[in-house]
Amino acid sequence: MSGASPQSPAQAIVIGASAGAVQALLAILPALPASFPLPVLVVVHVPPDRDNVMVPLLQTKCRLIVKEAEDKEPVVGGTIYFAPSDYHLLVEADGSLSLSTDEPVNYSRPSIDVLFESAADAFGEGLVGAILTGANHDGAAGLKALAEAGGVAIVEDPAAAHSQAMPLSALEACPTAAVMTLDAIASYLSSLGTAR
Amino acid sequence: MPEAVVDLEIQLLLEALYQRYHYDFRHYARASIKRRLVQARDQLGYATISAMQDRVLHDASMLPRLLDYLTVQVSEMFRDPTYFRALREKVLPHLKTYPSLKVWIAGSSTGEEVYSLAILFKEEGLYDRTLFYATDINPEALAAAEAGVYALDRIRKFTENHQKSGGRSSLSDYYTAAYGRAVFDKSLRERVVFSDHSLVTDAVFAEMHLISCRNVMIYFDRPLQDRAIGLFRDSLARKGFLGLGSKESLRFSAHAGGFSDFVPGEKIYQRREP
């Protein structure tokens, strides 16, 4: 459960980012190859009244399908799903997605913890999760749950992050997580699901 | 404790709630139910969900506390102001042609949407000919809805939403502020019937011109969504309207053919004639 070497084939990726998310995600998601076989689920903190601007932006930059997650849709490989603003995004045991308007967690809706914890339940050791830049501590409990379920935990190198509070909290909660730069995360994720 | 055991405990608890009290959460989207029950277990101080089940089976006074975790959603007045603007500008002009109207707020929770619609109908001159049904499965939420008292610190957001919805009056016309609370005027609920009704187990009870049920379907699994949407279709008058939450859709529903898009961006549908 530690380091970046999955015990079993990866089934899904989860990513959480807050302040500085745009640049961080631009360094990772466009790098994923067109043949990337896994689904990628992303929570970015955005103000509740605003539409998620990440989706149209990344659609123009990525080789994969980028979309806002819809309630009860099955996750499909090679697709990047973003949580809609003002909704939590959760993964059901059958691998479908659901949304909720439950109260904010860590003052956030969507919350990274909510996605990571439910995804850890659904995918167990088949899950790879990364906590990127951010100025709060959302995602720390989620990354810990992911690691405890046998998944691969990754944290953006706090020293290089735009905002280091979120990576630092994640590392504190989950000290076994692999610390990587954005470039290293991009190449590690790109290698997943290819012939090994 | 292994997650598989927690999942089994949850399944058993939901079965127990159904058999003992006829509250049926068995077809609610499970990931969210799990979060809530784990939260209930931790906050109410139980070592396991099984221990919580033991308590609720033998002590009915535990039920309301558990229902609060399982059902209550946080809403706002005029949440998604563009939805209310679409009702105001596109749907209400149709409703004005009817001599009397029935509106159903399904899953009314603590009443924010009920008061929003009552104010909208007053502003548009339709209130006096409308009967509103506000239904929920949680008796405490229904009581709170009927009381119409909200924390004063929420009013700024409500007011902002109301203005964005195209409000023709001032929200402050409708409440009295006292001791940190806003008490909404009882004239807003003169024509509201608050009632216990379950989309899971209950049936059609009146013929509606508008049903507003927002951010309830997302808590249901697909089969239960289909049941609820079927119930709405059967409850609607000819060419009646159905409003769903901004991230809800009939697209994947077994009853999609029973409705046409009326205001697609706002998830407002109209019953299609067979």
Side-chain angles (χ1 to χ4, degrees), chain A residues 125-164:
Chain A
E125 56 188 22
L127 186 66
V128 177
I131 297 294
L132 311 180
T133 170
N136 53 66
H137 63 271
D138 192 20
L143 195 70
K144 182 164 182 271
L146 175 151
E148 284 172 357
V152 176
I154 300 170
V155 173
E156 182 185 358
D157 183 357
H162 176 279
S163 292
Q164 57 180 15

Side-chain angles (χ1 to χ4, degrees), chain A residues 49-64:
Chain A
D49 291 345
R50 212 168 305 161
D51 279 342
N52 201 328
V53 295
M54 297 299 297
V55 171
L57 173 68
L58 282 157
Q59 275 170 342
T60 64
K61 308 271 184 194
C62 291
R63 284 168 276 191
L64 304 179

